[in-house]
Amino acid sequence: MDPTWYLRRLSRMGPAEIAGRVTDVVRKRQWRGVAGEKPVWLPDRRFATVPGEDVLAAVSGEAVKDLLVTADRLMDGRAEYFGVERDDLVAPDWSYDPKTGRRAPSDVYSFDIPYRSEDAVGDIKQIWEPSRHQHLTVLAAAYALTGEDRYAERVAAQLKSWWAANPPMRGVHWVSGIELGIRLLSWVWVRRLLDGWAQVSSLFEDNPVALGQIWHHQRWLAAFPSRGSSANNHVIAEDAGQLAAACAFAWFPESGQWRETAMASLDKMLRHNTFESGLNRELATEYHGLVLELGLAGALEAKAAGVTVPESTWLVLLRMTDALASIVDNKLRPPRQGDADDGFGLIVDGDETSRWASLLDTGSVLFGRLDWWPETPGGDVRTQLFSALAKDIRVDARRPVRRRDDFADAGMTILRDGGLWCRCDGGPHGFLSIAAHAHADALSVEVRHDGVDILADPGTYCYHGEPEWRSYFRSTAGHNTLELARTDQSVSGGPFLWTKHAVTKVLAAGTPSRWSAEHDGYAPSIHRRSVELEGDGLRILDEVRGESRPCRLAFHFGPAVEVVLTGATAKLSWTADGRERSASMELPSQLRWSAHRGETTPPLGWYSAGFGRREPAWTLIGAGTASTEMTTLLTFDPEGPPL
């Protein structure tokens, strides 16, 4: 990072956080000798909680088929990480980045490596992701469901390879706590799913190398917790991994203390990271999913080990699940809001299994399904495995009696009518002082028709290495909202840092058809927007109060939508469920409208379906001078005949 970034980052910390980070710096220097220390382990090292035959038999045939397709691709050495296809995963080089062709140093003290520098290490996420070992949990699940030793043998070979290539405190895999926490979760579930394999004990509890790795991972997490303005989803991953490992691998004298500390921190941080309404405070939906998965994995592991899980932990997880059931569209897709990096807490299903349907199925087993919840397919692998640890958790809570459309504390309102779904954004600018995963998207809208992105949130695409693209996908002009004077509503201080946050105020919400809000990001000017659901369409009214300034009003479309612009009228068309669909947009006539698709200098007209992937999509830009009222009318045409 540029030195000025560190100064800006420092300015967002309080005294306690600064003191804690100074302590971390000193400790990191002292830890150079820690790698050579040896753990002491207990003589009794049993692994008790494993899924029974009834649990495995409850997995649906479709879920098994999907899992085995993914597992067999992995056996062939093939997988995709963030848009990069790999075919070298039979025997991976754990430090190699196939995107840039660079190899991170593997025999250097971990805290000496500038892991954020693509020139020094390559794309760090490409290197870190396979080392979360979530592809190994998939292979272990394939073994559990089929009994075929080839899956277990591959898992064992890769674990031994990773342990040999990544001794404690050497290389980039000992730098970030979220990576250690998620990796521990994977190891817990690999051990559980390989329980029927004859050599599993010699791989784990009777293997000094494995015992050393598990101990060093937990000791690292105890020493370097995420702090202050970084205590977001990272700290949840650290706590969940530490808790799960200390419960499932309770093989060390320190296990009791690690377990107690991690359980207390997980309970506190889940509450800290979650609004009372149940939405995640980062206001980045994929992190809602990640935190929910991590929280469930940690709490269920503790319950299975006989550890008391505070009711407040279950209450947060219940609220998160009910909130998820409320915000998904009629195809079980949640909003695309804020950053998204395809992060999962635990993967034991095939690539085609919906994580959102799976989370709702898990919630149904643990907490009970409410009448208004959307229907889900059921029978996924993860839900059945989680049910082996606990079922029917009783929480003293008043649950919503109907589907919730307005989440006032999070500033999210959902307008819906049948297959028409619209998310309106009137929430805070991210979480904590740095708002790391926020976008400059105040008052943006996201519109879907039967699950198809019409007015789309373009997504995230990247974090490191491509600053122009990172800036575009986070920008105000990169969202369905109004930009003034060619500046963002909130001020970025770097890839995961905002130094000035727009403040948004919701003026009207709570009715099924109307929402209104304003923000001060362009003070003294105020941008106010109203959205009204009108039968077969939406009316969007934008107003700028204060001095007259140049503006750009942006509308971004999903990749399935074709757009033909004539003057201030846009004709939209797409295919869904075997039918031709169409709509029209009457745009503010006082602005000059232009259509853009797949432009690169500068970026404009793109959609990112997942991290590391982007594709051209239409964007309409209206340029001019902001006036008192600018009205956009989106009208959906009647459904056409089948193709």
Side-chain angles (χ1 to χ4, degrees):
M1 291 290 186
D2 184 300
T4 60
W5 180 89
Y6 290 98
L7 293 176
R8 291 192 295 268
R9 183 69 180 83
L10 187 66
S11 72
R12 309 305 293 176
M13 301 180 192
E17 182 177 357
I18 292 172
R21 288 179 181 270
V22 170
T23 301
D24 285 349
V25 169
V26 174
R27 186 180 291 121
K28 286 175 180 178
R29 291 183 176 180
Q30 297 171 338
W31 264 52
R32 290 180 184 275
V34 164
E37 296 183 12
K38 304 294 184 183
V40 173
W41 48 79
L42 304 175
D44 183 8
R45 298 187 301 280
R46 289 173 292 177
F47 191 93
T49 307
V50 297
E53 291 298 322
D54 58 328
V55 171
L56 299 175
V59 178
S60 72
E62 193 64 29
V64 172
K65 179 181 177 182
D66 182 28
L67 170 67
L68 295 182
V69 168
T70 301
D72 288 340
R73 286 188 75 242
L74 290 168
M75 291 296 289
D76 291 337
R78 295 182 295 127
E80 179 191 316
Y81 293 107
F82 310 132
V84 177
E85 292 284 348
R86 296 190 64 163
D87 59 6
D88 61 340
L89 294 179
V90 169
D93 179 342
W94 302 105
S95 297
Y96 176 67
D97 166 29
K99 180 180 173 182
T100 64
R102 295 187 177 95
R103 191 175 187 279
S106 58
D107 195 27
V108 175
Y109 180 57
S110 298
F111 293 132
D112 286 344
I113 300 173
Y115 69 93
R116 291 189 180 96
S117 169
E118 192 167 289
D119 290 337
V121 303
D123 185 332
I124 191 62
K125 284 187 69 63
Q126 288 286 346
I127 298 173
W128 277 346
E129 195 69 14
S131 287
R132 291 185 171 188
H133 291 170
Q134 293 177 324
H135 68 295
L136 299 186
T137 54
V138 169
L139 292 175
Y143 166 78
L145 287 163
T146 66
E148 294 184 24
D149 285 354
R150 63 190 181 102
Y151 296 117
E153 290 164 356
R154 178 63 57 79
V155 172
Q158 293 206 3
L159 282 176
K160 292 175 182 177
S161 165
W162 195 93
W163 291 332
N166 296 279
M169 303 311 301
R170 310 301 290 181
V172 294
H173 297 302
W174 293 87
V175 174
S176 174
I178 188 174
E179 304 305 316
L180 277 76
I182 291 177
R183 193 154 53 240
L184 279 175
L185 269 178
S186 294
W187 292 353
V188 167
W189 279 92
V190 164
R191 173 59 186 86
R192 173 168 288 124
L193 293 165
L194 295 187
D195 190 68
W197 187 48
Q199 300 178 56
V200 69
S201 296
S202 63
L203 179 63
F204 278 96
E205 52 262 42
D206 297 332
N207 181 0
V209 175
L211 291 167
Q213 285 275 350
I214 293 167
W215 183 78
H216 275 286
H217 272 65
Q218 292 184 88
R219 192 178 181 200
W220 193 108
L221 290 173
F224 301 109
S226 292
R227 303 176 183 275
S229 55
S230 293
N232 51 16
N233 63 86
H234 284 235
V235 77
I236 303 295
E238 294 160 10
D239 291 340
Q242 180 81 297
L243 177 59
C247 291
F249 301 143
W251 301 338
F252 309 98
E254 303 93 337
S255 295
Q257 182 59 53
W258 287 336
R259 186 168 55 239
E260 181 179 335
T261 301
M263 183 72 261
S265 181
L266 181 64
D267 176 62
K268 175 183 177 181
M269 290 302 170
L270 279 173
R271 288 183 278 116
H272 181 60
N273 276 260
T274 310
F275 288 111
E276 283 296 313
S277 64
L279 290 182
N280 182 261
R281 286 185 182 271
E282 292 195 76
L283 294 174
T285 313
E286 284 212 6
Y287 286 107
H288 182 103
L290 175 63
V291 168
L292 180 52
E293 289 167 356
L294 292 166
L296 288 170
L300 288 170
E301 203 68 53
K303 184 171 178 60
V307 175
T308 299
V309 179
E311 186 176 47
S312 52
T313 297
W314 296 122
L315 180 58
V316 171
L317 297 172
L318 168 62
R319 285 174 175 163
M320 292 184 74
T321 307
D322 280 339
L324 177 62
S326 282
I327 63 177
V328 295
D329 64 21
N330 64 335
K331 300 294 184 180
L332 301 181
R333 294 181 60 216
R336 286 166 51 89
Q337 182 180 20
D339 273 348
D341 71 349
D342 299 354
F344 284 74
L346 174 69
I347 303 178
V348 287
D349 280 280
D351 293 338
E352 298 304 314
T353 298
S354 164
R355 82 181 298 182
W356 310 108
S358 173
L359 282 169
L360 293 178
D361 285 334
T362 298
S364 180
V365 169
L366 297 182
F367 307 121
R369 183 184 183 279
L370 297 176
D371 291 342
W372 54 263
W373 275 26
E375 295 293 334
T376 56
D380 65 286
V381 181
R382 186 175 59 191
T383 292
Q384 306 312 317
L385 294 177
F386 274 173
S387 74
L389 301 183
K391 288 183 180 179
D392 301 324
I393 295 169
R394 303 299 177 189
V395 184
D396 184 15
R398 177 183 295 178
R399 299 178 66 184
V401 296
R402 63 181 61 86
R403 193 168 201 169
R404 189 170 183 175
D405 294 319
D406 180 47
F407 295 81
D409 49 7
M412 181 187 292
T413 299
I414 306 293
L415 307 179
R416 70 176 86 226
D417 184 0
L420 182 56
W421 176 99
C422 174
R423 172 183 65 87
C424 303
D425 184 352
H429 181 73
F431 180 46
L432 301 175
S433 62
I434 63 173
H437 292 296
H439 290 188
D441 57 356
L443 308 194
S444 64
V445 296
E446 185 183 2
V447 179
R448 297 183 193 148
H449 195 275
D450 282 332
V452 176
D453 289 311
I454 307 302
L455 296 181
D457 184 301
T460 299
Y461 176 58
C462 67
Y463 283 167
H464 300 287
E466 299 179 82
E468 187 177 27
W469 289 96
R470 175 65 169 151
S471 295
Y472 169 68
F473 278 99
R474 295 203 305 167
S475 70
T476 297
H479 293 83
N480 298 313
T481 188
L482 183 72
E483 175 199 78
L484 293 184
R486 292 275 182 160
T487 60
D488 289 335
Q489 312 149 335
S490 295
V491 179
S492 172
F496 298 99
L497 174 63
W498 295 88
T499 56
K500 178 179 177 292
H501 303 181
V503 176
T504 306
K505 178 182 179 182
V506 175
L507 304 173
T511 66
S513 61
R514 190 173 183 276
W515 169 89
S516 179
E518 64 185 23
H519 75 83
D520 68 353
Y522 296 117
S525 298
I526 297 295
H527 174 208
R528 177 176 292 183
R529 168 171 279 186
S530 300
V531 180
E532 189 169 358
L533 189 65
E534 295 185 327
D536 57 357
L538 287 172
R539 180 183 297 274
I540 302 171
L541 175 64
D542 288 295
E543 305 172 73
V544 176
R545 301 191 173 192
E547 63 182 277
S548 179
R549 303 168 75 179
C551 74
R552 292 197 300 172
L553 179 59
F555 291 111
H556 301 265
F557 298 87
V561 179
E562 288 295 324
V563 179
V564 176
L565 176 66
T566 305
T569 299
K571 297 295 185 182
L572 318 179
S573 60
W574 66 97
T575 301
D577 298 327
R579 295 176 183 269
E580 293 284 356
R581 303 306 311 267
S582 60
S584 62
M585 288 186 74
E586 297 299 326
L587 302 160
S589 59
Q590 58 267 57
L591 302 179
R592 301 181 306 278
W593 288 92
S594 56
H596 308 265
R597 188 174 188 272
E599 298 174 10
T600 58
T601 52
L604 187 60
W606 295 91
Y607 178 93
S608 174
F611 198 85
R613 292 173 284 157
R614 68 175 190 257
E615 60 187 301
W618 287 106
T619 292
L620 298 180
I621 297 290
T625 300
S627 59
T628 305
E629 292 190 357
M630 296 176 285
T631 301
T632 302
L633 182 61
L634 170 62
T635 304
F636 291 91
D637 300 328
E639 187 175 288
L643 295 177

